[in-house]
Amino acid sequence: MLKKHKKLIILVIVLAALIAVYAVVSNSNDPALSGKLFSLDGQQAEHIEITNGYGTYTFDLVDGKWIVSENGQQYRTNDEKMKLMLDALNHFTISRVLDQEIGLYGFEQPTANVTVRTSGGAEYSFLVGRPTISSSSAYVKDQDSNVVALTPSANVAQFDGSLTAYRDKNVFTVDGANLRQVAYYKDGELSVSLISDGTSWYLNYPYEAPARSIVTNEILEMLRGWTIAGFPDMAQVTESDMGLSDAKDALILVDASGNQQTLEFGNKSGAATFVRTGSEDDVAMLYTADIDFSQLNAQSLLFISPLKANIDDISSIEMNIGGKQYLFAVNSAMQTASVNGRMIDYEDFVGIYYKYVLLLADGRDDAGAKDMQAVANMKTTLTNGQELTLALLPRDDSTYFMGLSDGSAVYYMDKGRLNALMERVAAVAG
């Protein structure tokens, strides 16, 4: 029984000794004992500076995101590159401490000079020298202690990059696969705006109406197909050279999480176009052939709107519905309007106008309207004398065929559109 207790006591003593040795080794500042050139001790790296054969780059953690700077210009970082760099710094192991430094190690002209500052204010600096003959390891030197060691090459692979390697190569900072808003600006003015409920897309400027799904999908596919062709040399070109001091085209994108990004499009250079994708310095080059804004307009996105006209261009609107006639005369310059000769508030006419121009198609039926009498006739007269007409013909319980000025009647619209218009008219005209 005593022998058993002796064995147990010995085992406990050995275990305690091993634990003590491990604690000493793991907490030791001696790289030969700890197997580490330095340790961040669980602290968050907040600032990294790298000088290598390509230049000097500083990385700063700003509001939870890493920014890389070169020559005072700031860029979004490559998330994957930053993750690998931080992993290397957090687990910077060494395989062997060397007795002395010799020229063969390459510290006179180091591959990289790295400084790291943590959230706790600690700072670590080291040099990366040459790789070993097998390339499996590299020589490193702690600049504070002058300790020279060998480290696996994977630990230093991220410190020998150029700006192109460190900066973000994605066009979008938003989730391009889950966009909810797309606004297009031309010459500084909002041209068209689209919004999605997650299923369908709608115009919300300059009209509030369903958007043509085919055209909308083509626009979204165009956006998702954008790839970066390269980056400009910011030391060689100015904002004016790139056409970004007064960008002619711009997009504002919002994704399902509410993240927003502005893209500004500048001049062409060869087969590419300069595009600012983020901060003032964050400029990339996209393939010009992939950029096409020709369908980002209300005319392309509205699904057949025969009465669509700018309110400033309208002279009068005539409606003949269910035996009732209404003649709205308007002078947008003077902001006056009347119905059947009686003056009405101009804002009331604006409300009718927005319902009127929404008499647009919801679908197409190639069978077309038969010889039926119209249930409603609409006519817009523009200030230049042009007339826009629409006849609504019976189709089924919920839709009307749309008789267009060219004689066709294959498009149809929901009856709810006419009902919404007539409710507005009744409220104004009585």
Side-chain angles (χ1 to χ4, degrees), residues 235-285:
Q236 301 297 321
V237 293
T238 66
E239 188 178 41
S240 180
D241 293 334
M242 295 184 290
L244 294 171
S245 55
D246 185 23
K248 300 301 181 185
D249 298 292
L251 288 177
I252 295 180
L253 308 175
V254 181
D255 65 20
S257 299
N259 301 312
Q260 180 174 308
Q261 181 182 13
T262 299
L263 299 169
E264 297 175 276
F265 298 79
N267 294 334
K268 298 177 179 59
S269 177
T273 296
F274 295 107
V275 182
R276 179 177 284 125
T277 61
S279 67
E280 182 178 348
D281 303 320
D282 239 329
V283 179
M285 301 179 76

Side-chain angles (χ1 to χ4, degrees), residues 7-169:
K7 288 181 180 179
L8 181 59
I9 291 169
I10 291 170
L11 286 173
V12 170
I13 292 171
V14 170
L15 180 60
L18 289 173
I19 291 173
V21 169
Y22 175 78
V24 168
V25 170
S26 61
N27 292 307
S28 173
N29 291 323
D30 185 346
L33 291 176
S34 66
K36 298 176 182 179
L37 191 66
F38 61 88
S39 174
L40 301 187
D41 296 325
Q43 296 181 53
Q44 169 72 59
E46 289 188 338
H47 174 87
I48 304 168
E49 183 171 319
I50 300 172
T51 298
N52 58 32
Y54 295 100
T56 296
Y57 310 101
T58 57
F59 302 80
D60 290 286
L61 188 61
V62 180
D63 296 329
K65 294 184 178 296
W66 282 95
I67 301 296
V68 57
S69 303
E70 182 198 38
N71 298 326
Q73 295 171 324
Q74 297 184 330
Y75 309 92
R76 291 180 284 128
T77 56
N78 181 325
D79 286 343
E80 185 60 29
K81 190 78 171 175
M82 283 306 303
K83 182 179 183 300
L84 292 171
M85 188 188 299
L86 293 170
D87 283 347
L89 292 171
N90 281 309
H91 306 94
F92 202 94
T93 57
I94 55 174
S95 53
R96 183 158 59 97
V97 173
L98 303 173
D99 294 333
Q100 60 182 339
E101 177 184 341
I102 59 176
L104 177 66
Y105 297 163
F107 296 129
E108 295 84 359
Q109 292 183 312
T111 301
N113 185 335
V114 182
T115 299
V116 184
R117 190 162 60 242
T118 71
S119 55
E123 186 170 296
Y124 308 92
S125 296
F126 61 93
L127 299 177
V128 180
R130 293 174 182 163
T132 58
I133 294 175
S134 67
S135 297
S136 62
S137 298
Y139 298 101
V140 290
K141 178 182 178 180
D142 186 298
Q143 295 206 79
D144 294 322
S145 65
N146 290 323
V147 169
V148 177
L150 281 172
T151 188
S153 294
N155 282 346
V156 296
Q158 309 308 319
F159 306 119
D160 189 26
S162 65
L163 179 63
T164 299
Y166 292 133
R167 69 183 298 180
D168 191 1
K169 297 178 181 64

Side-chain angles (χ1 to χ4, degrees), residues 14-15 36 69 91 102 120 165 168 170 172 189 209 220 223 233 244 338 379 381 387 392 415 422:
V14 170
L15 180 60
K36 298 176 182 179
S69 303
H91 306 94
I102 59 176
D168 191 1
N170 292 317
F172 301 110
E189 298 290 334
L220 295 175
L223 299 181
D233 184 346
L244 294 171
S338 65
K379 183 172 74 172
T381 303
E387 294 183 349
L392 300 181
K415 287 185 176 180
M422 291 317 300

Side-chain angles (χ1 to χ4, degrees), residues 36 60 106 142 179 184 196 226 231 235 255 281 333 345 372 391 405:
K36 298 176 182 179
D60 290 286
D142 186 298
L179 293 177
Y184 172 54
S196 172
W226 283 346
F231 299 101
D255 65 20
D281 303 320
D345 190 286
M372 296 180 180
S405 56

